[in-house]
């Protein structure tokens, strides 16, 4: 305002170029990124052999196994309630956490120094990393993955160059996917770059809105090209830091216009995947517009977008918004919006997103009850939007964490099936509401019981009898299935 | 379930009768409720003279006054931004907190022993209390009041008798209202009686649904009779304690049917007041269906009730749901739903509803900014849903607390007017979004900018320039008005 | 202040007398509390036969049982890690929740109408209730109970009369205890009566301090008489609502003086039980002085009371203070202060004390790990400071809830034993710190390593190697024991 | 564990060298860090002229000024309660937020591109930045600053080299300090580097403990050399992420040994400044050992360190631990431990450290009440541990934010003085406790009132009279001073 800021765009570009050098600066072969930072920093020597040489293909061995590198509960081909476990769970590896997670936090520098990283953000490195990703997926034995555009390919000097970089890496990903591996969803990263500091679709700058549109357009195209089953919108910067300097109404209108244009473009290119919005209450902003499932549903209804979107519910986001994960899943389900689950968990005493792998069996059982009631999640699935703790720095920790998260949900599925087959919990609920399975109940539910008729009934019946809610019994039955 | 529970209804009735004796057991004239609890306990000796003999009519004296029993900022007839302060603020006394608040909390017995209470819940006592209410309102110099049906008149043995009790007290209230005092709103208390432990409209028992309908029917009638400007629904028991024993979808459907019937009945009796829903996230239940403004808006849209209801936003409820009060006011406003404000505040470190009188000047200023943007609240207003701390036991504390809350909002109004007249905060916001006041901005806002066009623009424009959000400057301007 | 308040003490007394009539107003034999509230309200007809006629003595049947009224995991006489389950767990029934819990909450009237209650708070009713308590304990098969003085016997008109009432009920309790049942602890209720609204030991009124001292004196005497193993201080009102009107330093000094006097009196009467302080961060006050384990330890150290007290850790209190239950147990243990556990749980999304029965198996396993490390809790134990949900109104719910809580902790004990016997989790931790099992480590731990020596070592060693923390592996091992 | 990690130390070093290039990559003179990233990236061209050319020396103009770049409330030389404002407030600029804050957050890249940054972390750049710091301090008109060792000088390849770098920059700082500017405190950054991921003093690796000791030793030396008035310990990594893999007791013992060694070294080198511990409950770890003031006091007492340390209370840390800022200040003060204040604020709806500049006048008034009661903070002061919002990217925003924070505390000081001079709030509190200003009160406070004597008094006195706490009146008086 007072000091002139010339060359800002140039400086930011420079920053990003330099970040190519630095973001994963370490390197198995020290000579590829010498201390003098010469041009070799971007050189790409071919990686030979396996990325995870000590790790076998992960197999199911059952609960009695003591090995950390086997499944104890997840048996992909086993049938539960008439469907294979892999079809209920449709697990996906999140490229960003697994291959771009650095261990950095607001108070600390990166801690992960994976052997295949050469310290650059070059296209060659991007491709090497993509190969590592597919080896990881194959060894883990899952069939799906997810990515943000900027995770998998580096920025170029211009949007055109950036898009070209993306195309090059995507072509390799397509090849590596082969027949077996599917893209659960793609998405555009509209939160990391400083241009998005005020939002993408809700930025106060029209040029950023346009840039965001261009980026989503491209991300939808490559998602379509890779056979993506869904496309996700997470509005990490679509919110505000302070209402004092924000025109919330105008921003929300812009967001609606943006999503309408996305729907139109999806149809234009023939992409049949589901569009998903991922609610999160806050962080990075003070308040995000897609606060929780109900808030997002209100937005979709207000702007006439209801039929075009479903929700991607993340457990840690649900708990940050003051709900149990189970609640937000049920809210999404009841509104006809449950499309996908970001499988993770938070810490009940922590007020930010910790993105931990879920290991709570009771929670997993409740999650799976919602999924079963929803008839499964397809074409959505369970994406592991979860990361290693900053202090977990062994390559094998990547496997241990995913195995643990998968086994927990598999155990949840087995427990939920047990509860359903046993039937006594469902019966307890059915009986609670059985007074509505009457003639007067039917009239009420059909909207035919007016206040005068109800008053007459109330006077006729006298003081109502009210039964125990039997919550402790319900909890006992629930626990007996764990 | 195992033990037979005969006579339950009889026992509950007995409980309520006994509560007549006890709930405000103290007494200015000890002989009216003798230790042997004989029949005189319900005897009603007429109260003579003033209820608040030491308290003068509260006058405006301006900020330099040191007296606790004057207004320092609220000057009812003074014009601010073209409207009298009393017309912006439309203050209302909440009968329940002021005249039925006992000071009891989950760990403590009542602490308030007002001199006019004779220790009974008789009709005579109800009338005496109503007279105290109107003397209070008159001395305070406000024009409005609010009540729950069960606050103002005691339960009878049957619904018919209860309704008759209510009619008797309401007739007195009508007389005491005279020409000057208005009923801001009435409401039905569907949470205190054990019959409502599973909810009213969302109870699992059909007979409770009917009873609740009958109660709301009557409460709407008396609100109409008293010239009420609004009618409120607060669903304190419309929620769940555990999803394990709850059919949330069925309960929400019942709630919608109930509200539809309320709308139909309102029209039938020619009541023209606004129907208001008051969101609250939780407490007493783990989760209430009207969680916050956005959740309630979603519910109204889903069930086609949008045009029929507005919201009554309570600041302490807003903060318990994870939002600032200002946020929920703006959300209601933007959705066209801001109808009334329950003026109170919570404690930022406390996780339950403390219902304190607002004394934070900055908060009050933000509240008033929303109200001014809304063009005022009429036919809604500011209801003091706020109570004395349990340890504040002097009669004068009732006045001090209301004066403090009123002065705080008046100060907020003055500050907000200063900000608006100064204009620099609004100008800061206008400038932030000025890039949308362009041709391309207009196209976007009209829904005419598709992704292909926007991509072309993005490539043409190159890296966007992004200006500072100037939040600290906005905060400085805001504070300078306080 | 302005209005004269004569007869306040008289009014409060009257209130309490009336409360005798009312607090549990319902009645199995309607004629004992007639609608006209005549003198028979205090009449006590003898209860005949069992209190829980349909409930058998609860037996262990193992996890495959489907009955709600058997133990599936708690097998009292079974040995785990060299000790009987009942000796690890030392379960106790909390008289107040089980026999005085009414189901009332800040928004709702009582919901529990147990058949043995006659609607009075008479001594006769107190005795009948005490008999029900011992039948409950016997049927449940536990050996201990806990009480507040005012739970078990009604207030009289004077302190002398109140003490006499207490003596009469205590004599019966002593008889009913027999050889088998022990009093885990007694305590004085210094929070319910309005006289304690500003605190007991920390009241601003010296007469209240004296009254509280007299009440604790008597409660210690009866605890001693009943062979109590511990005595508890929970300072629900020892805190503040606002710092603006509070002299925190003076209040803390008073609290210390009070506890010193309690220690002196304990020694004088030869009571050998442990004195326990129960931390809780807030509720009912905004801030309680015994916030959490560390805060209470600081208080004890500051005032030289460390050797005289241990802590009673309640899980729900721990989580309200921002810690996991496991954390506060470990903090107490490390400070040599873990004396007793109030076994319950809260709701992770709720900001007040819900006092639910613990049903989370993982949590129970962590609790038991702390208990085992502590070498057990004796002379403390597990007191069920947990209550039925307001909506659970069947007598059998009292049994179901306790069985569920006991089975959960028993399951936790079995899991913890499995983890300890397996040893791999302990080994993981041991290895993490093994670099300190070196000569230099020993020097550091002995306080012999100064900064100069350490700097020399740091320069000699160069950049330290830092191993993975293996948190996900630790979680996997932990879960495999559940 | 499975994959060999050779060369880890080398890789980390490489990372840090590369970070020299990148962390503030932008540049006013684009040619110094060309796009091809050649060697010139570390070249240091001398900065000529002012760093803040458009910003005048900030002057006091009083509340009626409309300029953002003047003081409206802070008038350094003006006397308040017998002391100059500058001596009450002793403001300090935090080097890290102001000169090393990048705007990065967990979801976003840096946004600040200050014109004087050349994109390197070289010593030359470090010196240029130090000159900017002193120009900033001078223009702002404050007299103090604070730093972490690693903020002001870059890491070298070895600890020796790092220390030499530090010495070089510190020599310049000493020169720039001149006679007028003082170092409020220095500290060692033991949280950013990956070597500290498990802690410094509480790391599981003995070599990290030694390294941390060496780093603190050096930081204490340079603090002493610069005439530092205090030295701070903030244990951002001294805590745990999970109790499952942590030996909390051993870690706490190590922390105590470490602080003992620091005390010994302080004495050895003749450093007379105060050692300060800065509590924070969590973030970055799940649980930090210095949770809050009371927890830290307990630690100091347990390990016999009480006389050697005071506390640096940060408002945002206090609120994250569940207390008001005022509470933690009072707790520190009452324990004789209030040494310094990190002046900032958080957002009441946000669960992480937002480090905002305080603009709440009521809060500032309460803070200043504590400071005045403490007789001031000297040799401590107010350090602005506060940062610009990520979206505030103008150089002038640095000034606006500091001016706003300083004016807010100055306004708080003026208000607190008004309250003290008025005296009615203090009188209200004095009167509340006046019953203890009696003979029996004196006996109690002297520890001479035993339970038997108190019981006798209680019986003699009968039911105590309990006065209103007058909280609403206290709030009214408080607000009238704002």
């Amino acid at each position: 305002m007072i000091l002139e800021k010339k060359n800002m765009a140039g400086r930011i570009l420079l920053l990003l170029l330099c970040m190519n050098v630095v973001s994963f600066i370490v390197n198995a072969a020290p000579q590829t990124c010498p201390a003098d930072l010469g041009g070799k920093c971007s050189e790409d020597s071919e990686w030979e052999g396996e990325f995870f040489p000590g790790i076998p293909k992960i197999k199911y061995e059952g609960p009695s196994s003591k090995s950390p590198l086997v499944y104890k509960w997840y048996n992909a081909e086993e049938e539960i309630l008439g469907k294979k476990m892999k079809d209920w769970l449709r697990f996906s590896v999140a490229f960003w956490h697994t291959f771009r997670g650095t261990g950095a936090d607001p108070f600390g520098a990166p801690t992960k120094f994976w052997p295949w990283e050469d310290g650059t953000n070059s296209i060659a490195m991007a491709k090497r990393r993509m190969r590592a990703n597919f080896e990881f997926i194959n060894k883990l034995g899952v069939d799906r993955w997810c990515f943000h555009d900027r995770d998998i390919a580096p920025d170029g000097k211009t949007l055109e160059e950036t898009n070209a970089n993306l195309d090059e890496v995507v072509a390799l990903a397509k090849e590596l996917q082969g027949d077996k591996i599917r893209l659960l969803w793609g998405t555009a990263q509209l939160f990391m770059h400083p241009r998005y500091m005020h939002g993408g679709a809700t930025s106060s700058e029209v040029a950023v809105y346009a840039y965001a549109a261009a980026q989503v357009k491209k991300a939808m195209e490559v998602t379509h090209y890779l056979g993506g089953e869904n496309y996700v919108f997470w509005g990490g910067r679509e919110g505000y830091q302070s209402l004092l300097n924000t025109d919330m109404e105008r921003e929300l209108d812009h967001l609606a216009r943006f999503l309408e244009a996305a729907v139109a473009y999806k149809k234009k290119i023939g992409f049949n995947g589901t569009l998903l919005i991922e609610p999160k209450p806050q962080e990075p902003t003070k308040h995000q517009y897609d606060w929780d499932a109900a808030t997002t549903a209100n937005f979709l209804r207000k702007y006439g977008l209801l039929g075009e979107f479903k929700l991607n519910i993340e457990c840690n986001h649900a708990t940050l918004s003051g709900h149990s994960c189970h609640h937000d899943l049920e809210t999404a389900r009841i509104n006809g919006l449950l499309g996908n689950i970001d499988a993770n968990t938070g810490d009940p005493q922590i007020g930010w997103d910790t993105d931990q792998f879920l290991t709570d069996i009771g929670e997993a059982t409740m999650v799976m009850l919602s999924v079963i009631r929803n008839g499964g999640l397809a074409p959505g699935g369970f994406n592991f939007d979860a990361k290693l703790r900053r202090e977990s720095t062994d390559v094998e920790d990547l496997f241990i964490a995913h195995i643990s998260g998968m086994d927990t949900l598999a155990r949840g599925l087995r427990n939920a099936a047990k509860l359903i087959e046993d039937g006594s919990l469902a019966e307890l609920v059915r009986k609670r509401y059985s007074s509505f399975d009457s003639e007067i109940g039917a009239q009420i539910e059909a909207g035919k019981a007016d206040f005068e008729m109800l008053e007459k009934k109330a006077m006729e019946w006298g003081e109502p009898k009210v039964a125990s809610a039997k919550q402790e019994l319900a909890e006992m039955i629930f626990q007996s299935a764990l």
Side-chain angles (χ1 to χ4, degrees), chain A:
Chain A
M1 233 161 157
I2 283 172
L3 295 166
E4 193 186 3
K5 277 189 305 179
K6 57 173 190 273
N7 293 320
M8 178 62 88
R11 278 183 226 154
I12 296 178
L13 174 61
L14 187 57
L15 169 73
L16 292 166
L17 288 170
C18 287
M19 282 179 79
N20 285 356
V21 181
V22 141
S23 55
F24 299 84
I25 205 65
V26 290
N27 180 329
Q31 68 278 15
T32 58
C33 183
D36 63 356
L37 277 171
K40 289 185 197 169
C41 216
S42 60
E43 186 185 47
D44 177 55
S45 59
E46 216 30 57
W47 183 270
E48 289 173 19
E50 289 181 288
F51 292 91
F52 307 98
I55 309 279
K57 168 105 184 171
I58 310 302
K59 300 234 168 65
Y60 173 72
E61 288 194 4
S64 61
S65 172
K66 289 283 176 192
S67 165
L69 294 174
V70 304
Y71 294 117
K72 297 176 193 69
W73 304 93
Y74 178 60
N75 190 11
E77 303 293 330
E78 186 180 337
E79 279 205 8
I80 304 273
L81 295 178
K83 213 187 275 194
K84 287 183 179 176
M85 290 187 91
K86 68 177 187 184
D87 295 328
W88 279 117
L89 293 165
R90 297 171 58 85
F91 287 128
S92 158
V93 169
F95 189 87
W96 55 98
H97 281 313
T98 309
F99 289 95
R100 302 312 300 269
T102 67
D105 70 19
F107 299 87
T111 58
K112 318 287 187 206
F113 305 101
W114 307 132
W116 55 85
E117 291 287 338
D118 71 359
T120 74
N121 192 19
S122 65
I123 294 185
M125 184 59 237
K127 290 179 177 173
R128 189 196 287 173
R129 207 181 277 127
M130 191 57 79
R131 287 195 185 90
N133 176 47
F134 281 92
E135 184 181 322
F136 183 78
I137 289 173
N138 274 304
K139 287 200 162 171
L140 204 59
V142 303
D143 300 331
R144 282 170 180 82
W145 68 300
C146 291
F147 70 90
H148 298 99
D149 50 2
R150 296 300 175 261
D151 301 330
I152 61 171
D155 273 301
K157 286 179 201 167
T158 61
L159 184 52
E160 290 87 338
E161 203 180 297
T162 302
N163 286 349
N165 289 351
L166 185 56
D167 285 336
E168 191 173 339
V169 180
V170 159
L172 174 65
K174 173 111 180 155
E175 178 195 324
L176 293 169
Q177 282 191 162
D179 292 340
K180 191 171 145 275
I181 296 175
R182 302 287 306 268
L183 177 65
L184 182 64
W185 42 263
T187 186
Q189 192 201 66
L190 301 181
F191 47 89
M192 185 66 77
H193 195 283
R195 83 173 67 90
Y196 293 123
M197 69 181 177
H198 306 308
T202 64
S203 175
S204 46
E205 307 283 350
V206 76
V208 174
Y209 181 99
Y211 202 105
Q215 192 174 329
V216 169
K217 174 177 176 290
K218 181 69 184 175
M220 289 177 78
E221 289 162 7
V222 303
T223 297
H224 185 36
Y225 172 76
L226 285 167
E229 298 170 293
N230 307 269
Y231 181 88
V232 163
F233 293 84
W234 174 59
R237 301 276 172 205
E238 316 297 4
Y240 62 80
Q241 297 291 14
S242 168
L243 279 174
L244 291 179
N245 63 355
T246 301
D247 186 336
M248 181 158 68
E249 188 167 16
R250 199 168 187 184
E251 292 202 359
L252 283 162
D253 285 347
H254 292 177
L255 181 56
R257 296 294 90 77
F258 192 93
L259 294 178
E260 284 164 10
V263 169
Y265 192 68
K266 166 194 158 166
K267 291 177 181 171
K268 175 154 195 184
I269 64 173
F271 173 55
N272 292 320
T274 306
L275 300 183
L276 295 164
I277 293 180
E278 179 177 328
K280 187 180 181 187
Q282 53 179 194
E283 198 204 22
T285 75
K286 176 196 167 37
H287 182 97
Q288 273 136 240
Y289 295 132
D290 301 323
W291 182 271
D292 60 5
T295 304
T296 311
N298 181 52
F299 174 86
L300 293 173
R301 289 183 202 278
K302 181 177 177 190
Y303 289 102
L305 291 163
L306 197 69
E308 308 290 354
F309 289 85
K310 290 198 165 182
L311 302 181
N312 176 29
I313 300 297
E314 177 171 324
C315 284
N316 202 161
H317 294 177
T319 51
L320 288 170
S321 67
H323 311 300
S324 67
C325 180
H326 196 199
H327 171 83
D328 240 32
L329 292 171
E330 287 293 289
T331 298
R333 187 181 67 76
I334 286 174
N335 281 274
L337 293 171
L338 180 54
N340 194 83
I341 293 176
D342 262 12
N344 67 13
T345 195
D347 181 299
Q349 281 93 38
I350 287 182
W352 64 89
D353 203 12
T354 62
D355 278 346
Q356 293 175 253
F357 285 86
L358 179 65
T359 62
D360 183 315
I361 306 164
E363 180 89 346
T365 304
M366 283 188 276
V367 167
M368 293 313 303
L369 280 172
S370 284
V371 170
I372 293 170
R373 274 183 207 144
N374 203 54
L377 293 170
F382 281 96
N383 176 50
F384 279 107
D385 198 353
K387 66 185 178 198
L388 288 185
R389 298 306 83 200
R390 182 174 186 257
E391 304 78 13
S392 297
T393 54
D394 292 338
V395 168
E396 68 157 20
D397 294 334
L398 289 169
F399 282 88
I400 290 171
H402 279 83
I403 291 167
S404 184
M406 290 166 72
D407 262 348
T408 300
L409 283 162
R411 212 169 159 178
L413 173 59
R414 292 176 186 276
N415 294 342
K418 238 193 283 181
L419 276 170
I420 287 165
E421 282 160 355
D422 171 78
S424 50
L425 189 58
E427 177 61 10
L428 183 154
V429 177
R430 197 199 57 71
K431 270 175 65 180
R432 250 196 107 191
Y433 296 89
S434 57
S435 68
F436 277 93
D437 302 334
S438 59
E439 204 191 311
I440 175 83
Q443 273 179 284
I444 288 168
E445 297 191 339
K448 291 180 185 151
D450 65 28
F451 273 11
E452 282 153 314
M453 182 265 254
L454 290 164
E455 185 189 53
K456 231 174 74 184
K457 282 288 170 197
M459 291 191 174
E460 185 184 317
W461 288 340
E463 187 57 41
K465 284 185 190 53
V466 184
S468 171
K470 308 304 290 181
Q471 183 174 330
E472 291 81 5
L473 180 58
E475 289 169 348
M476 181 186 266
I477 296 170
F478 181 78
Q479 204 217 60
S480 72
L482 304 191

